[in-house]
Amino acid sequence: MGYSNSRDADFTAYVAARRGHLRRTAFLLCGDWHQAEDLVQTALAKLYVAWPRVRRDGSPEAYVRKILVRAHVDETRRPWRRERSSPQLPESAATAGLPVEERDALLTALAALPAGQRGVVVLRHWVGLSVAETAADLGCSIGTVKSQTARAVARLREALTDVAPTTGGRA
Amino acid sequence: MNYDQSPVDELYGAMRSALRAEPPMTALPHDDLLRGQSRLRRRRLGTAASVAAVVPVVALIVTVVPSGPAAGPDGPGFANSPTADRQTFDVECGGVLAGELRPQARGSDAPRELIGSDRVKLKRLRPGESGAPRELAGGGGPLQALKRDGSPRSGILGTVEDAGEGESHCEAVPGAPMDMPELDRLEHALFDTLDPSKEHLTSFLAGAGASAPAEAGSDPEQSKVTSASVTGDWSEGDRAGNVSLSVEDPTAGESGMSDPGAAPCEDPGLFSGPQLSCERRELADGTVVLVGTGSKNGFARITVHYVRPDGQLVWATSDQASGIWWEDSSGAGPLDGPPVTVDQLIDLAQDPRVHL
């Protein structure tokens, strides 16, 4: 197998295994499935370019996660993104799990967070990274991660106080 | 929800629940592979192009011409109607951004000149959906314009800037309808010289590079056009090649080579793509042109380079395969050879209409 074929096969295998997770992470970051797909496509295209180095370092997941988070933060800094804040949820469907109101409230509350805080919340509480790993992904200090997490959780708590409590533990 | 007690588990569970509305995933890993390969190719092209891109910030103008020439009053078949509305086209710069530029809000009869920035949005690219990447001389790296059938010509301005990781991208912003005589002349010359019967040239794409206004926020129309390029697929049955014509003003881009006849074949930046040979050819009137032959992705390419008396640089190229074929091999298969001859390219390059 030639170099290119090996690279392509490795990359395809990685994408097949991890694409769904990456898309869900992207959705939690941006709150929109279409934009999440865009972010994932961009991140994976960049990953392919850097694949030899990333594979050598053994951390494709960390690499693509960094791209996702930073690309999302960049997006929110673009003028047309800043103007697009909306009280309406982008997408929701009545499915099992949390009541629709509570699920929507969570997404709304997440969407109301600044991009950096949302990134911290998603990386810490969804991806399950440590403070140090989160700081590395976001390119900031550990202290910043801690303070951002505290602020984000406080804002989530405040936004969700009127929502009826339900169960929702880690499955 | 009680985040005071167990914020991690509560948040994780809530997020899991929120994700249960996840739509089915339609993209395949192979799609991502193709996009990655495409990006890698553009990255390599961009690296090569950046050698000549000495202007750090330029304005780029993209124009899109409708597929298929249709007879009109402006010349040999261009539906050049800058006042037409309801156009939609995409632009991607440096392989980073894909923007979709829309007209005014649906149903609106308002003029199309100003398009709110909130109507520029990211767009997913799928294999086969995009056109071929086009390198525009004059700085800024590769620029890709995606054609939509039936779209009238219009423009997008993009500002090239450092987007990190050594790449550049364009942020698509609305542009006013443009009527560019430079492109009209090149298009007409291309048709008249290579395909006067209008049987083969389709799917035109035209673009121009312009120097940026001196001050940020200046009127983009004050920019000086420093390069222009037109390219079209050359169809023969179900197969297609490509022809293109580019002009550059070297004094604006400081790309040198302004002395007619002095351009050396050894200059690695002279021709795009691997060259197998380069020949200096002196014409009957003493004019010197350079003829490069080579291949790209295994298919033949001929390029004629000509330096006009006024110092403007001209490239005329004939490719065995179309741009889409280069991009992802999903387009029409390649021709048996380059669609037009060296002599035709020389005639084209020396056409008096071919200048900025």
Side-chain angles (χ1 to χ4, degrees), chain A residues 8 19 23-24 34 37-38 41 45-46 48 78 80 96-98 102-103 125-126 157 160 165 168 170, chain B residues 1 3-4 8-9 11-15 17-20 22-23 32 36-37 39 117 120 124-125 171:
Chain A
D8 293 355
R19 199 179 202 289
R23 191 172 72 140
R24 288 187 284 275
H34 295 296
E37 179 67 27
D38 290 337
Q41 287 187 10
K46 288 186 175 183
Y48 180 83
R78 300 190 196 286
W80 59 82
L98 287 179
E102 192 167 342
R103 186 173 62 240
H125 298 291
W126 170 251
R157 183 188 304 125
L160 298 170
R170 191 183 290 263
Chain B
M1 239 175 262
Y3 292 110
D4 289 330
V8 173
D9 282 350
L11 264 177
Y12 179 84
M15 290 174 179
S17 182
L19 289 165
R20 287 179 182 169
E22 179 179 6
D32 292 303
Q37 291 171 333
R39 184 185 186 87
S117 59
V120 179
R124 292 185 303 284
L125 292 178
E171 290 191 358

Side-chain angles (χ1 to χ4, degrees), chain B residues 146-207:
Chain B
L146 309 178
K147 176 182 61 60
R148 290 283 179 86
D149 288 345
S151 300
R153 174 187 295 175
S154 185
I156 299 176
L157 294 179
T159 299
V160 177
E161 60 184 32
D162 183 13
E165 301 181 18
E167 298 183 15
S168 60
H169 70 264
C170 292
E171 290 191 358
V173 296
M178 291 181 298
D179 184 15
M180 298 189 65
E182 296 88 353
L183 294 176
D184 285 343
R185 277 190 276 101
L186 297 191
E187 290 161 0
H188 293 173
L190 198 68
F191 257 97
D192 294 346
T193 306
L194 302 184
D195 189 27
S197 60
K198 304 178 184 61
E199 294 178 353
H200 301 293
L201 279 170
T202 59
S203 301
F204 256 77
L205 187 68

Side-chain angles (χ1 to χ4, degrees), chain A residues 42-126:
Chain A
T42 299
L44 289 176
K46 288 186 175 183
L47 176 66
Y48 180 83
V49 173
W51 186 255
R53 173 172 57 84
V54 172
R55 284 293 288 172
R56 192 170 57 245
D57 296 344
S59 56
E61 190 82 3
Y63 182 86
V64 76
R65 201 171 55 229
K66 282 180 191 174
I67 297 174
L68 274 184
V69 175
R70 294 179 184 184
H72 171 61
V73 171
D74 287 345
E75 274 304 299
T76 60
R77 289 172 177 162
R78 300 190 196 286
W80 59 82
R81 289 296 179 196
R82 284 202 299 270
E83 295 166 2
R84 284 188 62 185
S85 60
S86 167
Q88 294 181 338
L89 283 171
E91 292 173 16
S92 64
T95 57
L98 287 179
V100 172
E101 304 79 26
E102 192 167 342
R103 186 173 62 240
D104 290 353
L106 174 71
L107 292 175
T108 302
L110 276 174
L113 293 178
Q117 290 184 17
R118 204 179 322 161
V120 167
V121 168
V122 172
L123 292 179
R124 292 277 289 118
H125 298 291
W126 170 251

